[in-house]
Amino acid sequence: MKKCLGLAPIVLVALVSGCSSLRERKPVPEEMVEAATIPGVRYARFWGDVAPPDLEERIKEVRARAEAAFPDAKNQPRKFLAISGGGSNGAFGAGLLAGWTESGKRPQFDIVTGVSTGSLIAPLAFLGPEYDPQLKEIYTSYDTGDIAKKRSLLKGLTGDAMFSTKPLKELIEKYLDEKLLRAIAVESKKGRLLMVGTTNLDTGRPVLWNIGRIAESGTPEALELARNVLLASAAIPAAFPPVFLDVEVDGKKYQEMHVDGGTTTQAFLYPIGLDWKKLSHSAGITGQQSIYVIMNTRLHLDFEAVKAKLGPVAVRSIDLLIKAQCFGDIYRIYLAAKRDGLDYNLAFIPDTFKEKSNELFDPVYMTKLFDLGYQMAKAGYTWDKAPPSLEHEGALSAAP
């Protein structure tokens, strides 16, 4: 749930810490990283920067599931939804979805992906409009104290983060319960995909988790694993503690360290090197495919006369880095969509929204942002068909 306000000082303070009291874990040896698996869950995840070697097998199984549920599935239009990070700005995406429902034009999505705050929205968006009230509650009713608890300075400096995410974990447990997990499993069996992104801090690589397959597994650990993946996806490094996830290699148990998916990508659909057009052809999919990208952020920063002090300079610089990452992900998804024949649609917080948040998670601010997204979608939102600087006709005609 990336929110850069105040993050830079936290990072800098954490870096200068000389001593630490660490949580113990048994990390996966470097030479065994590729062999690490999630016990009892087939197809639980894959790297987000390269297509899995068994991709054909996975796709064939998804196709078979979809056709079993819907005999004409391969000829039907397919809709994909990617929801970005953005911290409390996730209220925009939640409102947009609720307003989209109210407009009567919201489709069912075949694939839903989420990163950071988007990972908390994604399961409810995946299950459909009946979960809009929960989305509204999450993004208008809670404040910072309901999400994170500040640790003492000493504990923060000698530990793994400046905040405890126990409140966030409890919030995830409230909404992601056994009933919700069963509902996700039912939809997964129909060939629909719910994917959440984290970052493996040991390897420095994005990881895409198939929450539907975890839900289907029926293992005693499935619910806790799904909750921990969502928690990890929202774990801002240094601010929030990393999450240890259990894996196995040759029957031996290890723990991977995962943090905010937004550390490596703000939004995703599939790895850039994956030939989606070829994959669709081999799967016999002939219907039009569309991608909808919700970026929970404004794409431009307002002018600010930055004070020549460590904190303001660091915060502003990280803001700029995150904006650059957002643009990079928008372009990456756009270029992949154009290459692979997908209809591209983009939504983001308009620059005209000038409200300021008074804390990390300000319910007054989030309510205004939720209402903005809701009203925009209810009125019939016009999705951008290209990244902002490509919108003019000349650039579009030159695009691949």
Side-chain angles (χ1 to χ4, degrees):
M1 302 176 71
K2 194 173 290 296
K3 182 74 173 178
C4 58
L5 183 63
L7 177 56
I10 293 172
V11 174
L12 292 169
V13 169
L15 286 175
V16 300
S17 173
C19 58
S20 60
S21 55
L22 301 176
R23 289 185 290 156
E24 294 295 328
R25 72 176 175 117
K26 186 178 180 182
V28 182
E30 183 177 1
E31 66 275 12
M32 297 181 180
V33 165
E34 294 292 341
T37 61
I38 304 300
V41 188
R42 188 168 179 243
Y43 300 153
R45 62 188 187 163
F46 59 92
W47 297 113
D49 53 7
V50 64
D54 58 352
L55 183 62
E56 289 285 347
E57 183 182 348
R58 296 189 188 214
I59 291 298
K60 286 179 180 178
E61 182 173 326
V62 170
R63 180 188 64 185
R65 286 163 166 244
E67 290 180 356
F70 311 102
D72 196 36
K74 64 181 180 181
N75 299 317
Q76 297 301 311
R78 296 175 68 81
K79 309 289 185 181
F80 311 136
L81 175 66
I83 311 170
S84 83
S88 62
N89 285 341
F92 172 75
L96 195 75
L97 286 164
W100 203 353
T101 297
E102 192 66 22
S103 75
K105 297 180 180 180
R106 177 176 164 183
Q108 180 183 77
F109 297 101
D110 299 278
I111 300 176
V112 177
T113 72
V115 175
S116 201
T117 197
S119 72
L120 305 184
I121 299 172
L124 302 176
F126 177 74
L127 291 177
E130 68 179 283
Y131 290 89
D132 287 351
Q134 287 91 324
L135 276 177
K136 183 174 182 180
E137 183 175 276
I138 292 171
Y139 283 95
T140 62
S141 304
Y142 300 109
D143 59 21
T144 305
D146 298 312
I147 304 298
K149 182 178 180 181
K150 192 170 184 178
R151 293 171 170 171
S152 69
L153 181 61
L154 179 61
K155 189 171 183 178
L157 289 175
T158 58
D160 55 8
M162 297 302 294
F163 292 85
S164 164
T165 47
K166 183 180 177 182
L168 177 58
K169 183 173 175 59
E170 291 173 349
L171 200 63
I172 291 172
E173 290 171 351
K174 175 181 177 181
Y175 292 97
L176 181 52
D177 56 13
E178 288 280 5
K179 181 180 178 181
L180 194 83
L181 198 70
R182 286 195 299 270
I184 292 171
V186 168
E187 295 305 312
S188 178
K189 290 176 181 177
K190 298 176 184 177
R192 299 178 64 216
L193 297 176
L194 171 60
M195 308 290 293
V196 165
T198 67
T199 298
N200 183 319
L201 205 55
D202 293 320
T203 64
R205 298 175 65 184
V207 179
L208 311 184
W209 295 82
N210 190 332
I211 302 300
R213 295 310 294 258
I214 293 172
E216 284 186 61
S217 69
T219 67
E221 300 80 16
L223 181 58
E224 186 66 12
L225 174 59
R227 288 168 169 173
N228 281 335
V229 169
L230 266 60
L231 182 63
S233 185
I236 305 168
F240 294 167
V243 177
F244 296 169
L245 298 176
D246 294 330
V247 297
E248 277 187 3
V249 181
D250 296 330
K252 295 182 180 179
K253 297 186 181 298
Y254 300 90
Q255 293 81 40
E256 294 176 344
M257 182 184 290
H258 287 255
V259 297
D260 191 343
T263 307
T264 45
T265 183
Q266 287 292 315
F268 71 91
L269 179 57
Y270 49 82
I272 188 67
L274 190 153
D275 191 332
W276 190 264
K277 182 183 290 187
K278 179 181 178 181
L279 203 62
S280 297
H281 179 74
S282 65
I285 296 172
T286 59
Q288 173 64 53
Q289 301 182 76
S290 303
I291 170 67
Y292 294 85
V293 183
I294 298 177
M295 297 300 292
N296 291 303
T297 185
R298 293 172 58 203
L299 296 183
H300 304 94
L301 294 178
D302 291 332
F303 172 82
E304 179 182 338
V306 181
K307 293 182 180 179
K309 295 179 66 176
L310 176 62
V313 169
V315 168
R316 183 68 169 183
S317 298
I318 289 180
D319 279 348
L320 291 169
L321 285 171
I322 293 172
K323 294 300 178 188
Q325 186 186 30
C326 287
F327 269 103
D329 289 329
I330 287 172
Y331 273 81
R332 172 177 51 79
I333 296 174
Y334 172 75
L335 292 174
K338 300 302 287 185
R339 179 197 65 195
D340 296 334
L342 276 66
D343 175 45
Y344 177 89
N345 302 271
L346 172 68
F348 52 88
I349 300 173
D351 287 340
T352 52
F353 183 76
K354 301 292 186 180
E355 299 291 334
K356 301 293 184 182
S357 179
N358 292 319
E359 55 177 305
L360 205 59
F361 294 91
D362 179 352
V364 174
Y365 168 84
M366 290 190 292
T367 297
K368 292 178 180 178
L369 195 50
F370 180 96
D371 289 342
L372 172 69
Y374 179 86
Q375 293 300 332
M376 288 170 61
K378 181 182 177 182
Y381 185 72
T382 302
W383 295 77
D384 284 40
K385 306 303 291 184
S389 60
L390 289 181
E391 287 178 345
H392 57 85
E393 186 176 348
L396 279 176
S397 63

